[in-house]
Every structure is written in structure tokens, then in C-alpha cells.
Amino acid sequence: MLRTIRAFWHDQRGIALILVSVTLPALIGFSLLAIDMSRVNNLHNDLQKAADAFALAGAAELDGSTGAWGRAERAMATLVNNESNFSTSGRFTLISGQPGGTQRCNSAGNISWCFLKAIPASDSTQITAANQATYYASTDPATGELETHFVQVTVTPTGFSAIFPASFLTGNAANNSFNVGAVAVAGFRSSVCDYTPVFMCNPYEMVNGHNTAGDITLEQAANTQQYRRRQILLRNDGSYQPGNFAFLASPDGNGANALEASLANVKPSGCYAQDGVDTKPGQNAGPVQDGLNARFGISKSYIGTTDGPAANVRMGLKSISCNNAKTTFETDPTKGVGLERDSCQIAGNCTMMGGRMGTGDWNASRYWTVNHPTRGALPSALVGATRYEMYRYELNPDGNPATNDSIVGDPAVSGETGTPSCSQTPVTTVDRRILYGAIIDCNAIGGFNGRADNVPVHAFGSFFITEPIKDGKDIYVELVDITGKGGRGTLDNFLRDEAQLYR
């Protein structure tokens, strides 16, 4: 008997079945957990992709202009269609809607969203009731749409039922199911490239709803011919009030020589983001005059170079020495002084923008008669024209770029033509009479002294240089256009607009 018991004790046949029986529940449990993890990860991945897509679609419309919230809602509602799997609802499509575009925070379909003016510096910082004033845009669309830079999208959490029977272990059936959601934050980033390193303090900056330009906004000025006719005197005198200009940090350097070259360059190398530029102050009268006057062909350093003049440089030039670029200018408007100034600028009694903005009443009829004396009365197409429109008409009267009907060579009463002097070859690949720059709301920046990093840009603008610089510091210009939906689209080739995920 003892021998039989001992043999049975040492007999190992069938031990594998026992081990399998003991470990089988654990093996099945881990398998179910692996399947559940795969399913819930796939579900979360679907929801996160949807949140990202909704946020990116909405952010692409947040350009800081009126109607941005409504456009963002429309983009989320019409451009995004994401499918999700493995929830308790099975396979379903996530959708949004358009509840009106008037609320800072709203919801529709499977998502909710809030428009933000800023986001926390750290991902770990949550937006709560205590700090939402720092990050949420204003509830008033008139203000909120202009300051909105980000949209936070939250996908409504959806149920997930696990296969692993956790309820058998805890006695709580709720442990077998839970909700899965996703959140994404995206923002709009706009930048320009091939831009000169210049910024201007916004001539139309509003302070408490008013400015010294007749309470006209920059967007209104860009879109209204009457306001675009106003001649603006940009000044670089070390102060930063509406209409003054200075310089941006340039990839080519900020010394006098580098600045001059950047201003003269046919294709500057700078790229600048609307959400922040670095400014570099300084009064550089010499480099400014020499660099910009290269566009007229009257700058000694650039006569005969590839950074040559515009194809139309009519400016009232009386004489020039091609050896040293010494110039004299006509002073009699009946003989041809170029694109004349507004009447109050001639008289010295302008009242807008501290006396440096005209009213737009320049004498186009006299200019035409004096500079194109053989062509009859002012064409009807030029009645009420800006100086820039006159300049473009002279280059191509019928507006068809395929035709060569330029009247730039017409001699004025004084004998001047718009053809560059000193046998220079004009540049035709770009418009050399246009000055590009960042337009900054300088008054809104407390204590702004011209030197700061990450300064927000109201818009990037183009300005027509109406005459060469004659005193080293003053640039007479007309506003041509601005970037964004507040502009007229002529700067789209410079824009690099993109929506970007931040969270």
C-alpha cells in the first residue's frame, strides 16, 4: 500500500492539464484585456483624429476679421466627416453644425467648441473658470472675432463596453463600461515671405473707437478708393505714433549696409509671421533714402545693378548726374512735378494724423494734362483714381498684360518721361514702386519704444511710393492693400496661411 501511495505521489502524468486549468482564466483574461486595449485605443484614435480635423478646419478661418466665428462653424460643419468604431453606438459618423456664429462657446452634432484669444504656455495648464478671462475671447463677436486666434474642440464622450468581465471581480457592473472622448486645440498662423524688413504704426489704429483719420478703420481704407487716395507721410524720427515707420529684424542683418540692401533688393529674403515679429528701431535716413530711391533709378550705389528701377519712374525729375546721382526736381506743377500731393499737404495745413495724412484730393486732371499733353482730357477710367491706379494705367492703359500699349514714354511739358534715366534696365518681375511692411497697432502696446520681440501684426500691407525721398527720412505713400479678409486679395502671393495643431 505504501509503495502504491509513493508511486502515485511521484507520478507526474497529466500535470500539464492541471497547469492549463489553473492558468487558463488568466490567459483568457489577458487576451480579453489586450483586445479591449486595442479596441479602446482605436476608438480614442478615431475620436482624436476627428477632434484634430474639426479644430484645423475651424482654425483656418480665424483670420481676425469680422465673421470669423461663423466661417469657422461652417468649415467644421461642411468640411469634416469622420467615422468612429468600437463604441457602444457601433460605427457612427461624427458631425458638427452651424448654430449661428455668435457665441464664443457652442456645440452642435457630436462636438462642442470655444474660441480662444490665447492658450496656456504649458500643456499641463488647464483652462478653468478661474483663468478663462486670460484665454477665452470676448463674448461680444465685434471684439471676440478680431482677437480669436485658436479654437478648442471637444468631441462629446461616447460609451465603450469592455469584453473583460471586470464586474465579476468587483461586483460593480459599471466597471465594464466607461466613456471615451478627445480634445484638440488648433490655431491660425499667417505669414508673408519676400517682404522688406519694415513696419509702420497703423495710420488707422482705433483707440476707444476713434482715431485721427476720421474714425476710418484700416480695413475700410483698404477697400475704399476715396480713402486709398489719401497720401500718407511715413516718418522715421524715433517716435512710434500712427504713420511712423521703423524696421524689423532682418535675416540679412540690421546694420546700415544690410538695411540699405534689403530696401533696394528686388526680392528681399525676409519671412514674417502675423502673430509676432521682432522689431529693431533706429533712424537710418541715409540707408532708407539710398535703398528706396534705387527703385526710382536715382541712387548712386544701384545705378546699373540688377536691383534696378521700376518700369515707370515719373517723378518730376529735372536733371540727374549718372556719375553721382545728384538730382534736381521740377517745382512748377504746370510743367510736371510727378504725382502731386494732396492740396493740404501742398499748403501745409492737413489736420488728419497729426498733419501727415491728406484728404485724397490730388489733382489728377492737371497731372494728366501736363504729363500726357497729346492725349486729350483725363480718361473717364481715371476720374477719381488713386495715384497708384494712374501709375498702373500709364504702364498698361487697356489693362491687358499681353499688349504693349505703355504710355510711360510720353514726354511731359518739362520733357520728363517715365522711362528710367542713365540707360538703366527697368525691373518688370515685381512692382518696384510698392513698399511692403508690417502694420502694427503701436498705441495698443504699452510703452512701445520700437524694440520688442513677438509683436503682433494687425495686417501686412502694401504702400505705393508716390515720389522719391528727398530729405532722407520722409516717405510719401498711398495705401494699396492689406492681407487677410479685410483686404482685396492683391497680396495673396506673399501669404503663407496655415492652420496648426497646438494641443
Side-chain angles (χ1 to χ4, degrees):
M1 175 64 71
L2 183 60
R3 181 179 298 170
T4 302
I5 293 173
R6 186 179 294 114
F8 178 77
W9 180 260
H10 292 287
D11 191 346
Q12 295 185 4
R13 289 174 296 177
I15 189 65
L17 180 62
I18 296 174
L19 293 175
V20 169
S21 299
V22 171
T23 60
L24 187 59
L27 292 173
I28 294 174
F30 279 118
S31 297
L32 293 178
L33 282 174
I35 293 172
D36 281 344
M37 287 298 295
S38 177
R39 292 171 61 237
V40 75
N41 281 338
N42 282 334
L43 173 59
H44 181 264
N45 188 50
D46 288 345
L47 298 181
Q48 189 62 58
K49 285 182 177 178
D52 293 348
F54 282 119
L56 286 170
E61 301 298 329
L62 303 178
D63 62 351
S65 65
T66 301
W69 290 358
R71 293 194 301 273
E73 287 184 3
R74 177 173 174 77
M76 291 188 290
T78 60
L79 300 180
V80 182
N81 192 331
N82 280 57
E83 189 176 81
S84 174
N85 297 284
F86 302 115
S87 74
T88 54
S89 301
R91 178 179 296 180
F92 71 99
T93 300
L94 289 95
I95 60 172
S96 182
Q98 302 179 64
T102 59
Q103 300 296 316
R104 177 180 68 186
C105 294
N106 219 322
S107 62
N110 306 98
I111 69 168
S112 59
W113 60 86
C114 286
F115 295 110
L116 312 177
K117 62 183 178 182
I119 57 175
S122 171
D123 290 356
S124 62
T125 302
Q126 300 296 314
I127 299 177
T128 65
N131 65 10
Q132 70 177 23
T134 302
Y135 303 112
Y136 278 31
S138 170
T139 55
D140 179 7
T143 301
E145 289 180 326
L146 304 186
E147 65 184 6
T148 296
H149 295 290
F150 307 92
V151 59
Q152 178 176 273
V153 173
T154 302
V155 174
T156 304
T158 185
F160 175 82
S161 294
I163 300 174
F164 182 79
S167 58
F168 286 114
L169 302 178
T170 64
N172 184 357
N175 287 339
N176 267 22
S177 63
F178 50 89
N179 290 330
V180 179
V183 180
V185 176
F188 179 82
R189 182 181 176 87
S190 181
S191 58
V192 293
C193 287
D194 303 334
Y195 244 58
T196 43
V198 172
F199 77 86
M200 301 89 168
C201 292
N202 185 0
Y204 293 94
E205 180 179 2
M206 289 288 191
V207 178
N208 297 322
H210 299 284
N211 61 24
T212 60
D215 296 342
I216 304 301
T217 67
L218 179 63
E219 289 71 23
Q220 287 173 315
N223 282 280
T224 308
Q225 186 187 53
Q226 171 189 350
Y227 302 136
R228 292 199 308 275
R229 282 202 306 267
R230 293 177 174 180
Q231 192 170 41
I232 301 171
L233 170 56
L234 299 179
R235 178 164 288 165
N236 173 230
D237 62 5
S239 64
Y240 300 95
Q241 56 184 307
N244 280 18
F245 77 95
F247 310 101
L248 302 174
S250 169
D252 300 320
N254 289 93
N257 291 336
L259 176 62
E260 179 181 327
S262 294
L263 294 175
N265 203 321
V266 168
K267 190 174 182 180
S269 58
C271 288
Y272 303 98
Q274 186 161 355
D275 54 0
V277 294
D278 297 341
T279 61
K280 299 292 182 183
Q283 299 180 56
N284 297 278
V288 171
Q289 178 166 333
D290 293 340
L292 291 183
N293 280 354
R295 301 161 183 247
F296 289 87
I298 57 173
S299 180
K300 178 182 177 182
S301 300
Y302 298 95
I303 291 178
T305 71
T306 55
D307 292 325
N312 181 2
V313 295
R314 196 178 294 266
M315 54 183 145
L317 184 65
K318 197 170 183 179
S319 66
I320 178 172
S321 169
C322 296
N323 293 322
N324 56 21
K326 293 293 184 180
T327 56
T328 59
F329 294 93
E330 181 61 63
T331 58
D332 185 348
T334 65
K335 294 181 179 179
V337 296
L339 294 160
E340 298 185 27
R341 299 177 184 178
D342 289 344
S343 61
C344 69
Q345 289 171 321
I346 296 172
N349 59 3
C350 295
T351 58
M352 291 189 291
M353 206 184 77
R356 292 191 289 119
M357 178 182 285
T359 58
D361 64 344
W362 77 290
N363 198 329
S365 180
R366 180 166 61 189
Y367 171 87
W368 178 264
T369 301
V370 171
N371 287 276
H372 305 283
T374 65
R375 297 188 181 270
L378 181 72
S380 59
L382 293 176
V383 174
T386 67
R387 295 168 183 82
Y388 181 63
E389 289 164 346
M390 177 70 76
Y391 156 84
R392 295 301 308 177
Y393 185 93
E394 290 173 324
L395 285 166
N396 190 202
D398 70 0
N400 183 355
T403 61
N404 183 17
D405 58 344
S406 171
I407 58 173
V408 169
D410 283 0
V413 172
S414 65
E416 183 201 24
T417 71
T419 304
S421 301
C422 303
S423 302
Q424 298 178 87
T425 301
V427 174
T428 58
T429 54
V430 297
D431 195 334
R432 293 286 280 156
R433 294 278 294 272
I434 294 291
L435 175 66
Y436 302 98
I439 302 174
I440 293 173
D441 290 334
C442 296
N443 284 329
I445 306 172
F448 182 59
N449 65 356
R451 183 181 295 277
D453 292 339
N454 204 33
V455 178
V457 176
H458 185 114
F460 292 97
S462 57
F463 295 82
F464 174 60
I465 306 173
T466 62
E467 61 186 68
I469 299 175
K470 300 169 184 174
D471 59 4
K473 62 182 179 179
D474 291 343
I475 310 175
Y476 283 90
V477 300
E478 279 184 344
L479 175 65
V480 177
D481 202 2
I482 60 173
T483 55
K485 288 186 168 60
R488 296 182 294 122
T490 64
L491 296 174
D492 288 352
N493 288 340
F494 294 90
L495 282 173
R496 306 291 187 271
D497 289 343
E498 59 182 12
Q500 176 180 327
L501 281 173
Y502 289 85
R503 302 283 191 267

